[in-house]
Amino acid sequence: MIEKLVKLATGRDYAIGAGDLGYMISKGAVPMLRGLVWSVLHVRRWRGLMLGPNIQWVMSGRIRTGRGVLIGGFSYVDGSAREGIVLEDRVTIREHAWIQGRSGLNDPAEGLWIGAHSYIGPRAVIGIGGPIRIGSGVQAGAGLTITAESHEADEAGSFVSGRTERRGVSIGDRCWLGNNVSILDGVEIGADCVIGANSLVTRSIPSGSVAFGSPARVHRRTAH
């Protein structure tokens, strides 16, 4: 019965045992209550949104969530990008995430889209800048960093007064990214890729690749 209620509320399937009640209350019921209150205060239909404690919101009206979305506690979520933030069904963003839609009164960023069933581990840092598109079924470990803008030096060689480019970042469906992966502006990672832990991705990676290193290089193909 409890499994059916959780499925109805969040769209997620869980095998719930007798000893899981305490965990469900602290990690499920309380975040669901926060999500319900948040949805009511923002005049939105509650769709199983789950929120951790002490989330800081900026322009939350531009943040659109699907069914069963979870955002972990102590996160900073800035929806001020031109196209806002779109989190499709069952997206999970774990604790201490930092998502920036603009820097001060500079030009707002383009937008962030995360596809259904994708998981972003704790302590993610996502600086939107150009458009960031993360596909469906993506699994990213702790410490993911995405920087969707780059700084170019001016004629005097200064990066401080130089120009800024925003090309964006794209991650294809069903990619697996290990802990502490960093992805720079202009990178496109194709579908079904595996990016090893602690990798720095400075150039695009074709679909079905296993890549790792700093800078990341393709070492073999996946079985897809």
Side-chain angles (χ1 to χ4, degrees):
M1 180 63 178
I2 294 177
E3 293 173 351
K4 291 182 179 179
L5 290 174
V6 172
K7 170 77 171 180
L8 181 64
T10 68
R12 298 168 182 249
D13 290 302
Y14 295 103
I16 299 172
D20 296 329
L21 183 59
Y23 185 85
M24 286 177 57
I25 292 172
S26 61
K27 297 293 287 185
V30 175
M32 287 173 68
L33 180 59
R34 290 194 194 98
L36 173 60
V37 172
W38 188 90
S39 299
V40 170
L41 292 176
H42 289 76
V43 196
R44 299 187 186 184
R45 183 167 67 97
W46 184 64
R47 304 182 65 194
L49 176 66
M50 293 176 281
L51 300 175
N54 299 310
I55 297 174
Q56 182 178 350
W57 304 95
V58 176
M59 297 187 70
S60 58
R62 294 190 181 181
I63 300 168
R64 290 164 283 171
T65 59
R67 186 180 180 193
V69 168
L70 184 148
I71 301 176
F74 306 95
S75 294
Y76 173 84
V77 185
D78 174 5
S80 62
R82 290 188 181 92
E83 301 297 327
I85 295 172
V86 178
L87 308 176
E88 296 186 4
D89 292 351
R90 303 172 187 81
V91 165
T92 294
I93 299 176
R94 292 292 302 274
E95 294 78 10
H96 298 277
W98 184 82
I99 302 173
Q100 180 174 309
R102 70 187 299 171
S103 177
L105 294 177
N106 297 326
D107 288 340
E110 291 298 322
L112 169 66
W113 295 264
I114 302 181
H117 301 273
S118 287
Y119 173 94
I120 308 297
R123 304 187 310 279
V125 175
I126 301 176
I128 299 175
I132 296 177
R133 300 183 183 275
I134 299 174
S136 299
V138 172
Q139 301 290 304
L144 172 69
T145 300
I146 300 176
T147 307
E149 70 175 29
S150 60
H151 295 262
E152 307 294 333
D154 61 15
E155 294 179 355
S158 173
F159 284 87
V160 175
S161 57
R163 61 189 176 87
T164 300
E165 289 190 356
R166 292 176 168 179
R167 292 173 289 173
V169 170
S170 175
I171 301 173
D173 296 341
R174 299 175 302 279
C175 286
W176 187 94
L177 285 68
N179 288 347
N180 301 311
V181 168
S182 183
I183 303 171
L184 300 188
D185 188 39
V187 166
E188 296 184 10
I189 299 176
D192 301 305
C193 283
V194 174
I195 309 297
N198 301 308
S199 293
L200 173 62
V201 187
T202 62
R203 61 183 64 184
S204 296
I205 305 292
S207 298
S209 298
V210 176
F212 52 87
S214 182
R217 301 183 184 279
V218 175
H219 291 265
R220 61 183 176 88
R221 308 287 290 181
T222 68
H224 292 280

